[in-house]
Amino acid sequence: MYYRNFIIRVENEWNAYIERSFEHEIYHTWYYHSLNEEGEPILFVFEEGENFIALPLIKREIKDSSFFDITSVYGYCGPISNTDLAKCSIVANQNFKTAFVNFMKEERCICIFSRLNPFLNHHLLLENFGGLRDNGMTIFMDLTIPIQNQKSKYDKRLNRQIKKLREKEYQIIEANTQNEIKKFTEMYRENMDRLNAASNYYFDEQYFTNLLDPKLENKLILIYDGLELMCGALILLSKNIIRNHLSATSLQYLKESPSKLLTDEISMIGRRLGKKIFHLGGGVGGREDSLFKFKSHFSDLQIEDRVWCYIDDNIVYNELIVLRGNEIDSESQYFPLYRKSNKKPHFINNYQTNLI
């Protein structure tokens, strides 16, 4: 069957494909990509008959080089289609691969990194492409089951702690003023200081303001102890999924662990809004660390998390590694390896991976 592929760079054409998709999230939209400052947002579209596969991308320049590479936005993106990716034919998968490889050569892109969405069957489209890597397990809650069933999955000690936090009658609000966004931003940046975060995790007030644009469903949930801001979270909302995108806790309330109450409250918000899944995420870099353990206290439901690290031009890729003073290491989990800094590694947020 005849197929074609092309690139979209404008909002209305981009979102027309997103709106026709079988399923998508805010991460796939033109608006979310327009907030990215790493490179040029583009939408790769593959069409075969009445069906399409669309892949939102960020095309980045490679310093001191005539080549480019591709990455995904901060969050869970990956390909979408107007059909369930699990039902794509073998022929369609192969034609998509051929079209995408040709696109990479035409655009002089030597490799791609993409964080995949564990709920959209991306691995079924890409498993014969090459470059799929396991990134541990990621945790979620099923918000369609009765509330008592959800609570029964909580760790017993956690249940008691949440109950005590609710008994203190802290005020839980949805932020609706610029001053509240400012206060949350300051608290978030203080958390980044405490965690010695890399510079790209220092989101500013305008970033949070943009994600709370009235045309979006997103919410900023804050918990107060009287007039004191204890903690908060920017939650992203898609058709079926709710996520804690970025959160922070006041340094003076760390021992109170209000994030436990906040996490429980986000699940309640998801239920009220008719969402099916509350995706809590996994550990740092896909590891089953303390962060993973904290999330596992809320749910025993897990799904495999994957990233896509495909190299189209191995010769140029390896040359760049050497030119940057790094060693070619096929076992390294860092991708692309030529972007690896020789400086001491910084904290990496659970919504990303060390494969950046």
Side-chain angles (χ1 to χ4, degrees):
M1 182 181 289
Y2 169 77
Y3 68 83
R4 64 174 185 148
N5 62 274
F6 49 92
I7 297 172
I8 292 175
R9 289 179 167 88
V10 294
E11 179 178 7
N12 59 339
E13 294 179 19
W14 182 311
N15 284 340
Y17 278 93
I18 304 304
E19 291 165 6
R20 287 172 54 203
S21 66
F22 176 75
E23 194 167 6
H24 67 271
E25 296 203 44
I26 183 176
Y27 302 118
H28 295 96
T29 63
W30 176 90
Y31 182 77
Y32 190 83
H33 279 73
S34 73
L35 303 180
N36 185 282
E37 298 179 350
E38 284 188 273
E40 179 191 13
I42 57 177
L43 181 70
F44 172 82
V45 179
F46 165 85
E47 284 189 336
E48 189 173 57
E50 297 181 350
N51 296 325
F52 73 84
I53 299 172
L55 179 56
L57 307 164
I58 300 293
K59 180 182 176 182
R60 303 184 296 188
E61 294 182 355
I62 301 175
K63 188 177 180 181
D64 300 325
S65 166
S66 63
F67 295 94
F68 301 82
D69 60 19
I70 305 169
T71 189
S72 58
V73 288
Y74 183 80
Y76 296 89
C77 197
I80 55 173
S81 174
N82 58 330
T83 63
D84 186 344
L85 290 174
K87 298 179 181 179
C88 281
S89 68
I90 295 175
V91 173
N93 284 10
Q94 184 58 49
N95 287 343
F96 169 77
K97 177 179 180 178
T98 300
F100 190 76
V101 167
N102 288 338
F103 150 76
M104 291 186 72
K105 295 184 186 305
E106 291 168 3
E107 296 290 320
R108 296 182 64 79
C109 295
I110 64 170
C111 64
I112 175 173
F113 165 81
S114 180
R115 184 73 183 268
L116 303 180
N117 190 312
F119 302 102
L120 298 186
N121 290 319
H122 291 156
H123 63 290
L124 298 177
L125 174 68
L126 301 172
E127 59 188 359
N128 294 319
F129 207 113
L132 272 184
R133 296 186 183 181
D134 292 333
N135 194 45
M137 303 298 291
T138 187
I139 300 167
F140 67 97
M141 289 187 199
D142 181 357
L143 301 182
T144 66
I145 63 175
I147 183 63
Q148 60 270 24
N149 290 14
Q150 175 188 314
K151 298 283 189 178
S152 70
K153 293 178 179 290
Y154 286 10
D155 176 82
K156 290 183 180 179
R157 185 166 177 264
L158 174 66
N159 251 327
R160 294 194 299 269
Q161 291 171 326
I162 292 174
K163 183 178 179 180
K164 287 182 179 179
L165 286 166
R166 289 200 178 275
E167 287 173 351
K168 293 185 178 182
E169 298 184 349
Y170 294 130
Q171 186 180 12
I172 305 174
I173 69 166
E174 179 183 342
N176 54 25
T177 69
Q178 194 63 41
N179 185 54
E180 289 169 327
I181 297 174
K182 180 180 180 180
K183 290 172 68 176
F184 173 77
T185 303
E186 291 172 351
M187 182 174 66
Y188 172 81
R189 292 175 73 87
E190 286 178 356
N191 275 214
M192 295 301 99
D193 288 341
R194 178 174 62 86
L195 294 166
N196 189 31
S199 60
N200 55 314
Y201 294 104
Y202 278 79
F203 299 105
D204 59 18
E205 184 178 336
Q206 189 58 52
Y207 175 82
F208 292 110
T209 301
N210 289 340
L211 283 178
L212 291 167
D213 188 286
K215 66 174 173 281
L216 304 174
E217 283 190 86
N218 305 332
K219 300 178 185 295
L220 177 59
I221 306 301
L222 304 176
I223 300 181
Y224 281 89
D225 178 11
L227 298 177
E228 294 294 325
L229 178 58
M230 300 177 69
C231 68
L234 175 65
I235 58 175
L236 299 189
L237 295 152
S238 299
K239 181 180 178 181
N240 294 316
I241 300 177
I242 183 170
R243 284 192 173 89
N244 179 345
H245 182 58
L246 293 167
S247 59
T249 299
S250 171
L251 302 184
Q252 69 185 85
Y253 283 98
L254 288 175
K255 291 183 179 180
E256 291 285 325
S257 296
S259 59
K260 296 173 181 176
L261 172 60
L262 181 61
T263 303
D264 183 60
E265 185 65 22
I266 293 172
S267 76
M268 297 300 105
I269 292 170
R271 284 178 171 274
R272 291 196 292 271
L273 295 175
K275 306 306 176 184
K276 296 180 180 179
I277 292 171
F278 175 17
H279 186 198
L280 285 80
V284 177
R287 297 188 295 273
E288 293 192 8
D289 54 10
S290 58
L291 179 61
F292 183 92
K293 186 175 181 180
F294 170 81
K295 295 173 181 178
S296 68
H297 288 161
F298 286 88
S299 176
D300 59 358
L301 299 177
Q302 300 180 15
I303 188 171
E304 288 184 70
D305 192 22
R306 297 178 178 88
V307 292
W308 186 30
C309 307
Y310 175 73
I311 302 172
D312 182 63
D313 193 327
N314 277 283
I315 294 175
V316 175
Y317 180 86
N318 288 336
E319 287 177 350
L320 286 169
I321 294 173
V322 175
L323 286 171
R324 298 297 189 271
N326 291 319
E327 295 183 3
I328 297 173
D329 179 6
S330 60
E331 300 300 316
S332 175
Q333 291 299 299
Y334 200 99
F335 190 89
L337 193 52
Y338 54 79
R339 288 188 180 268
K340 183 178 182 180
S341 171
N342 291 321
K343 297 179 181 179
K344 183 179 179 180
H346 291 274
F347 164 80
I348 294 181
N349 188 282
N350 60 297
Y351 284 92
Q352 287 287 75
T353 172
N354 57 336
L355 301 164
I356 56 176

